[in-house]
Amino acid sequence: MPENYKDFHSSFMNQQYPSALLEKAVGEFSKLPGIGRKTAMRLVLHLLRQDQPTVEAFGNSIITLKREVKYCKVCHNISDTEICQICANPQRDASLVCVVENIRDVMAVEATQQYKGLYHVLGGVISPMDGVGPSDLQIDSLVHRVGEGGVREVVLALSTTMEGDTTNFYIYRKLEKMDVKLSVIARGISVGDELEYADEVTLGRSIVNRTPFTGTV
Ligand SMILES: [Zn+2]
């Protein structure tokens, strides 16, 4: 590495953009998770090489998504309609509710084709470090949903992290007096793994082999 690499690197990062429009676009892209300024620049230049309708379709898809996306009133999954396709499907077992952190987990469990119940999307897990408490999540609505009756079993399918365990326990305390079976997915998933990164076979097996939740973590 040359002596002046650091200087070179910082001058690259601080370099003047030939256009304020370019700088603004790079700035917006680099706000995305996992995108640094170099990658942002590559993406922006790529878009700039596309024709006008392609770039407009790209921009509009994001604007329309944010403006028009809905969340299912029952399970809080992202949906184009008030009740999502999964909740509205009469073939699914409405007495079985799988609790997951986010929509990516719904997609991961759906991909296993091992689960025919419904979902409840929490919107995250309890994490005091990140300032996320129970009231920031869809936990009250889960308790309400179970309280309305018709739910026979709640399957906890959160990440096997400390935050996931804490959330499992919190939900257990909320539901333990209610007439509902509480189970947790089998730990075929490695401890510390996030659900969405598990392969389909492992995740499918974990759902099928779920075990009663005992309140110990
Ligand atoms: Zn739904």
Side-chain angles (χ1 to χ4, degrees):
M1 188 180 295
E3 262 300 91
N4 60 351
Y5 174 78
K6 260 193 174 154
D7 291 343
F8 168 76
H9 190 252
S10 64
S11 78
F12 176 83
M13 299 310 280
N14 298 325
Q15 72 188 189
Q16 293 292 309
Y17 287 81
S19 148
L21 293 172
L22 178 66
E23 183 173 6
K24 173 125 181 51
V26 170
E28 293 302 322
F29 270 85
S30 61
K31 289 177 190 167
L32 297 171
I35 307 286
R37 289 191 86 83
K38 268 183 173 176
T39 307
M41 174 68 105
R42 201 165 69 231
L43 295 173
V44 168
L45 292 179
H46 171 80
L47 280 172
L48 213 46
R49 283 195 299 272
Q50 312 303 307
D51 58 20
Q52 193 68 22
T54 304
V55 178
E56 283 180 15
F58 179 83
N60 286 337
S61 73
I62 296 164
I63 294 165
T64 341
L65 172 73
K66 184 62 187 171
R67 190 183 293 146
E68 292 178 16
V69 78
K70 295 184 188 68
Y71 294 88
C72 173
K73 286 195 162 165
V74 179
C75 72
H76 312 289
N77 195 6
I78 286 178
S79 169
D80 290 339
T81 46
E82 285 212 334
I83 306 290
C84 76
Q85 287 180 356
I86 295 174
C87 288
N89 183 350
Q91 311 283 4
R92 312 261 329 195
D93 180 357
S95 71
L96 196 56
V97 174
C98 180
V99 177
V100 292
E101 285 173 47
N102 56 48
I103 189 212
R104 290 173 300 178
D105 296 337
V106 172
M107 292 168 75
V109 175
E110 283 298 285
T112 69
Q113 301 186 333
Q114 297 289 322
Y115 180 71
K116 294 291 167 237
L118 304 185
Y119 294 90
H120 195 89
V121 182
L122 290 183
V125 281
I126 298 171
S127 174
M129 293 277 282
D130 300 315
V132 181
S135 60
D136 299 310
L137 307 170
Q138 297 292 352
I139 294 179
D140 283 349
S141 80
L142 172 67
V143 175
H144 182 76
R145 192 173 168 187
V146 172
E148 281 187 322
V151 178
R152 168 176 56 88
E153 180 178 351
V154 169
V155 185
L156 299 168
L158 303 179
S159 298
T160 55
T161 56
M162 198 155 66
E163 290 80 9
D165 286 343
T166 304
T167 311
N168 280 342
F169 190 68
Y170 184 88
I171 293 172
Y172 161 75
R173 293 302 297 269
K174 286 277 181 182
L175 297 180
E176 65 179 332
K177 300 260 158 50
M178 300 174 97
D179 184 24
V180 65
K181 187 176 159 194
L182 202 57
S183 57
V184 63
I185 55 170
R187 298 280 165 110
I189 313 284
S190 314
V191 170
D193 273 3
E194 292 191 30
L195 206 64
E196 62 174 304
Y197 299 121
D199 68 90
E200 288 166 17
V201 176
T202 306
L203 183 54
R205 202 185 294 136
S206 298
I207 292 266
V208 171
N209 296 331
R210 60 188 180 272
T211 53
F213 188 76
T214 57
T216 52
V217 292

